[in-house]
Amino acid sequence: MEQLVVINGSPKGKKSVSLKFVEYLQKKNPQTAFRYFNVAQDIRSYSRNPEAWKTLKEALEQSQGVIWVFPVYIFHVPAALMRFLELVREKDFQGAFEGLYTTCISTSIHFYDNLTHDLMRSALEGLGMHYIPPFTADQADFFNTESRRNLEWFFADFLGAISERRPVARRFAPLSVNSWTYIPGPSKEPIELKGKRAVIVVDKDVPGTNLSAMVQRFASAFTGKVDIVELEKLTIRGGCLGCMKCAFDHDCTYADKDDIRQTYLTLLDPADIIIYAGALQDRYFSSLMKLFVERRFMRTHYPFMKGKQVALLVAGPLSQAQLLYDTFDADVQVCMGHFAGAVSDECMDSAKLDAAIDTMACQLARYAIAGYLPPDTFLGIAGRKLFRDEVWGRYRFLFQADHRYYRKTGFYDFPQKDWRTRWQNFILTIRLLNPKTRRQMRNTLSGFMVKPLMNELDKM
Ligand SMILES: Cc1cc2nc3c(=O)[nH]c(=O)nc-3n(C[C@H](O)[C@H](O)[C@H](O)COP(=O)(O)O)c2cc1C
């Protein structure tokens, strides 16, 4: 009898929607034994209790494969699952996973589930596991016959890969880390922020590290006070529980029982410039930074970075971690801010790093003072359209606060409501039924597209 270990990364434990997809597979495959570990819900136990690791190790020794099942939480897996992966490394537990075949099952609304799975793949390949591509479901797929057929095929194929010991190509190389010490040079003339506010959110700020020196250099680039949020100094009770109590009125179940809500209200909301600073862990920041990012879900799909300039300070080889860059680029754009880029210490040259930090600070100040917001790319535009459709559609009863905000602020820009375009489409479609008009239009199409712009230029 085959045995599989299922690592459940949903903070909802047994109430996880994603987990039901695995339980479905279990019902369909009674010949396979499934051992479940709710690592996200029980993360405190994995932090403190060696017995939890012993039980997991025994199960892994007897199993042929591992399924990681989780929801997508703001571009990545829930912070508690990330913390579990950190603990695996801290406790030198990688050996228990090494060489095993593995795959992932997630549920989400497909909002950047691709980046989440890439980040997980990078982490699991880093543990030396043989990674089989995942099954990325929408919870509605559970009721769809075709999706169930695909899920069953996916699972059978996973078992096939294990039994045949199919060769698997690794996609993410290990991060090559070069250690060196950044010694900042004399500071330049500080930049006047002209009433704009800047805040730096610092992941784990260990004095004496490059990250710490980078944060100091950045903070001193501006005149006046720059707020620094040191995440390790905040009182934090836990990650997002996925309880959705925030959906009606943006009221988080943690309320002010810890420091997160007030940090957002008093420091991040009024800021014009936000810097996220941290050291690379896998291809993201630490689970602590993820927890902070994910707890902003108390505002669900509200574009909380509207008009803000956002950038990253990264200790580590950023050029090997495009995923980190992409997650923040997409997140900031969807939240209607401007992602101004990232500076990392991988240049291994103090003078160059000084210059890069100073230039970034100067640029952010210029952008903020000018109120500059360039057009979004596909990342922001497509992401917002997905939110718009989901909030307007099947989740309107739940995300009532989003619905009210979207209605008030013109988020609902569906083409169905654009009567001018609809009328124009109607008239032109009728006219183009005529073969002669159709021929003429074909020959003059490029001129037709540019004509309104030329007219506008002529008026100037
Ligand atoms: C804090 C939080 C963040 C979320 N972020 C995303 C996201 O970035 N993309 C997405 O498609 N769905 C997102 N969702 C929706 C969940 O992925 C979805 O509800 C999932 O089915 C929950 O699975 P679970 O019951 O197994 O925890 C988020 C939900 C929560 C609570």
Side-chain angles (χ1 to χ4, degrees):
M1 189 189 212
E2 265 145 345
Q3 180 168 299
L4 297 176
V5 161
V6 178
I7 308 258
N8 178 10
S10 171
K12 284 149 64 182
K14 286 186 182 150
K15 290 190 186 150
S16 155
V17 167
S18 318
L19 190 66
K20 300 303 152 213
F21 283 70
V22 182
E23 290 172 359
Y24 172 87
L25 290 171
Q26 184 175 10
K27 292 227 168 206
K28 288 279 172 184
N29 296 273
Q31 75 288 2
T32 307
F34 291 69
R35 296 274 316 266
Y36 293 92
F37 293 86
N38 290 324
V39 301
Q41 198 174 50
D42 298 342
I43 193 62
R44 284 204 172 81
S45 167
Y46 285 92
S47 303
R48 294 182 199 138
N49 182 0
E51 275 305 305
W53 293 95
K54 206 166 147 237
T55 317
L56 175 60
K57 190 156 190 279
E58 280 162 12
L60 287 168
E61 278 163 1
Q62 289 155 23
S63 77
Q64 288 75 47
V66 179
I67 298 179
W68 302 76
V69 55
F70 48 80
V72 175
Y73 268 19
I74 311 202
F75 298 89
H76 205 329
V77 297
L81 179 55
M82 283 180 72
R83 180 67 196 132
F84 174 79
L85 287 164
E86 283 171 2
L87 286 170
V88 167
R89 288 189 297 268
E90 284 168 23
K91 293 182 183 296
D92 215 2
F93 194 79
Q94 295 99 314
F97 288 105
E98 199 176 347
L100 286 171
Y101 277 75
T102 192
T103 193
C104 298
I105 296 178
S106 70
T107 60
S108 69
I109 59 164
H110 295 301
F111 178 81
Y112 289 106
D113 52 345
N114 57 325
L115 294 180
T116 302
H117 281 279
D118 284 351
L119 283 160
M120 264 312 265
R121 179 171 186 159
S122 153
L124 300 181
E125 288 183 345
L127 295 180
M129 304 190 84
H130 302 300
Y131 181 88
I132 302 295
F135 193 84
T136 60
D138 181 300
Q139 52 175 280
D141 292 341
F142 195 81
F143 304 100
N144 182 297
T145 314
E146 187 62 19
S147 302
R148 283 186 179 189
R149 194 192 68 80
N150 281 325
L151 178 64
E152 286 168 38
W153 190 92
F154 154 82
F155 184 70
D157 191 57
F158 178 55
L159 293 183
I162 295 174
S163 62
E164 294 160 23
R165 300 236 25 105
R166 258 180 234 159
V168 175
R170 184 171 180 162
R171 184 164 149 213
F172 294 100
L175 295 180
S176 58
V177 183
N178 294 311
S179 74
W180 69 289
T181 305
Y182 166 48
I183 301 169
S187 295
K188 279 182 43 176
E189 184 74 14
I191 308 148
E192 174 71 64
L193 271 176
K194 300 202 172 136
K196 300 291 173 191
R197 289 180 64 167
V199 60
I200 309 179
V201 179
V202 190
D203 203 345
K204 296 186 176 173
D205 188 14
V206 183
T209 57
N210 282 4
L211 181 68
S212 188
M214 288 162 79
V215 169
Q216 290 314 317
R217 174 85 188 187
F218 194 88
S220 60
F222 303 110
T223 56
K225 185 168 161 282
V226 172
D227 292 307
I228 300 186
V229 177
E230 290 177 70
L231 293 182
E232 281 196 307
K233 292 198 179 151
L234 299 185
T235 303
I236 297 177
R237 296 201 40 180
C240 176
L241 302 169
C243 64
M244 295 288 176
K245 286 183 186 155
C246 52
F248 298 129
D249 298 304
H250 289 171
D251 287 334
C252 178
T253 193
Y254 287 105
D256 286 331
K257 289 177 198 146
D258 65 14
D259 292 338
I260 298 226
R261 200 175 87 96
Q262 284 305 322
T263 304
Y264 273 99
L265 284 177
T266 58
L267 297 175
L268 273 82
D269 284 354
D272 304 284
I273 296 172
I274 302 177
I275 309 297
Y276 292 94
L280 274 183
Q281 304 231 1
D282 276 331
R283 283 172 164 80
Y284 194 82
F285 290 132
S286 78
S287 65
L288 181 62
M289 179 70 94
K290 175 62 184 22
L291 185 153
F292 183 74
V293 168
E294 137 189 329
R295 282 280 302 275
R296 74 142 205 266
F297 195 74
M298 60 191 162
R299 268 86 169 271
T300 50
H301 306 96
Y302 166 87
F304 110 98
M305 293 190 244
K306 193 168 181 182
K308 297 184 194 302
Q309 306 293 334
V310 182
L312 308 181
L313 281 182
V314 182
L318 180 64
S319 63
Q320 297 166 46
Q322 182 67 28
L323 289 172
L324 175 79
Y325 196 97
D326 290 348
T327 57
F328 276 87
D329 192 4
D331 193 10
V332 177
Q333 287 196 42
V334 171
C335 287
M336 300 177 85
H338 172 214
F339 183 63
V343 170
S344 93
D345 66 349
E346 68 178 322
C347 58
M348 297 184 68
D349 180 315
S350 292
K352 281 189 185 157
L353 186 50
D354 279 347
I357 294 173
D358 295 345
T359 306
M360 172 66 87
C362 220
Q363 198 58 34
L364 284 165
R366 268 198 292 265
Y367 287 147
I369 291 162
Y372 174 69
L373 290 171
D376 280 343
T377 64
F378 175 81
L379 302 179
I381 291 168
R384 275 199 304 276
K385 280 188 197 294
L386 181 55
F387 279 176
R388 179 197 70 182
D389 288 6
E390 294 288 358
V391 172
W392 189 85
R394 60 179 162 163
Y395 293 121
R396 194 190 315 178
F397 76 96
L398 184 62
F399 293 114
Q400 294 183 13
D402 293 338
H403 175 63
R404 285 193 297 273
Y405 179 82
Y406 282 13
R407 210 173 42 185
K408 206 166 83 194
T409 53
F411 241 76
Y412 290 139
D413 56 349
F414 300 103
Q416 301 91 299
K417 284 197 177 168
D418 184 351
W419 290 106
R420 189 166 174 269
T421 306
R422 286 180 70 175
W423 183 243
Q424 185 177 305
N425 279 335
F426 175 72
I427 298 288
L428 288 176
T429 311
I430 300 274
R431 282 187 58 195
L432 285 168
L433 289 174
N434 179 330
K436 196 169 155 213
T437 319
R438 214 181 172 86
R439 230 179 1 260
Q440 279 171 350
M441 179 74 127
R442 235 191 217 131
N443 295 334
T444 56
L445 209 50
S446 53
F448 177 79
M449 303 280 247
V450 79
K451 196 152 189 286
L453 284 80
M454 286 167 69
N455 290 345
E456 196 64 23
L457 283 172
D458 286 346
K459 281 193 237 153
M460 292 170 77

